[in-house]
Amino acid sequence: MPTLLYIHGFLSSPKSAKALATHRWLRYHRPEWRYECPFLSSRPIEARSELEAQVTRLLEEDEDIYLVGSSLGGFWSTYLAERYNLPAVLINPAVSPQRRFTELVGQPLKNYHTGQPFTLTQQDLEELEACDVERLHDTDLYWLLVQTGDETLDYRDAVKKYQGCRQTVETGGNHAFEGYEGWLAEIAAFFEEYSFNKHESASYK
C-alpha cells in the first residue's frame, strides 16, 4: 500500500489548507493509499528526527512512499528524497531557508494554527544548513510546482535549484499556491508512474 507523506511548512500544521485538501482528495480518489502528515516541530533538529523516524518505519513495512512538501516542507522533502531515494512533489519550496531565516533569529514567532510561540536560534540555522542538499543526485525524483506571484519566496530560486527536474511554473498565484487541489490527480499520476517504472526496472534485475 502506498503512503503519501505530506510535509507542511514552517510554523504550519496538518490543518493547513493544502494538507486537508490532499487528505480529502485521497479519501475519494485513492482510498487504498495511506495518508500521513505529522505535526512537525519548528525546531529543525527535531523535525528532521521526526521525519527520518517516520520514513524508516514506513520503509520497514515495504511501502512505496510519496513525498509532497510545501514551502519549508519542500526543503525537508528534498532532504528525504536524497537520503532515501523517494519521489517528491515540491510546492513553492524553500531554497536554502537558513539564509532567509537569518532575519528571524531571536524574533517572537508563533504557529499559524496553534498559536504556540517559537524563537528561532542561530543553532537552528546551522541545522538547516547541515540538511541543505547542494546537488540533486536524480532529477527524475522531483516535480517542482511554483507560482510567480509567491509573495514569500522568490520562485526563481527554486527554478534554478531544481534545474533538470520536471517543472511547472504558473504565472501569478501566491505562496499558498492557488488552485492546488486541481493538480492532485496529476500529482497522483506522477507518483504512480514513478512506482511503475521502479518496479518494472527491479523485475528485470
Side-chain angles (χ1 to χ4, degrees), residues 84-148:
Y84 299 100
N85 199 44
L86 301 174
V89 172
L90 314 173
I91 315 296
N92 285 336
V95 173
S96 298
Q98 67 274 11
R99 298 173 189 168
R100 179 172 179 80
F101 284 179
T102 300
E103 61 192 42
L104 299 179
V105 171
Q107 299 297 316
L109 305 169
K110 63 180 180 180
N111 186 282
Y112 302 127
H113 301 280
T114 68
Q116 182 178 1
F118 175 72
T119 303
L120 197 68
T121 68
Q122 185 61 39
Q123 185 176 354
D124 293 326
L125 301 190
E126 293 170 3
E127 177 65 21
L128 287 171
E129 185 170 10
C131 296
D132 198 359
V133 174
E134 292 187 10
R135 195 171 188 176
L136 307 178
H137 83 276
D138 183 359
T139 55
D140 289 340
L141 289 175
Y142 300 96
W143 180 13
L144 172 70
L145 291 104
V146 293
Q147 293 184 329
T148 64

Side-chain angles (χ1 to χ4, degrees), residues 50-81:
E50 291 162 2
L51 288 167
E52 287 178 344
Q54 186 145 15
V55 170
T56 298
R57 173 178 58 81
L58 291 170
L59 288 173
E60 289 173 350
E61 298 172 7
D62 197 27
E63 300 277 0
D64 281 323
I65 304 172
Y66 309 142
L67 306 172
V68 175
S70 171
S71 194
L72 188 62
F75 171 85
W76 288 122
S77 292
T78 303
Y79 171 80
L80 295 173

Side-chain angles (χ1 to χ4, degrees), residues 1 6 17 51 61 73 94 106 116 147 171 173 182 185 190 197 203:
M1 177 176 64
Y6 185 94
L51 288 167
E61 298 172 7
Q116 182 178 1
Q147 293 184 329
T171 302
F190 169 80
N197 291 336
S203 69

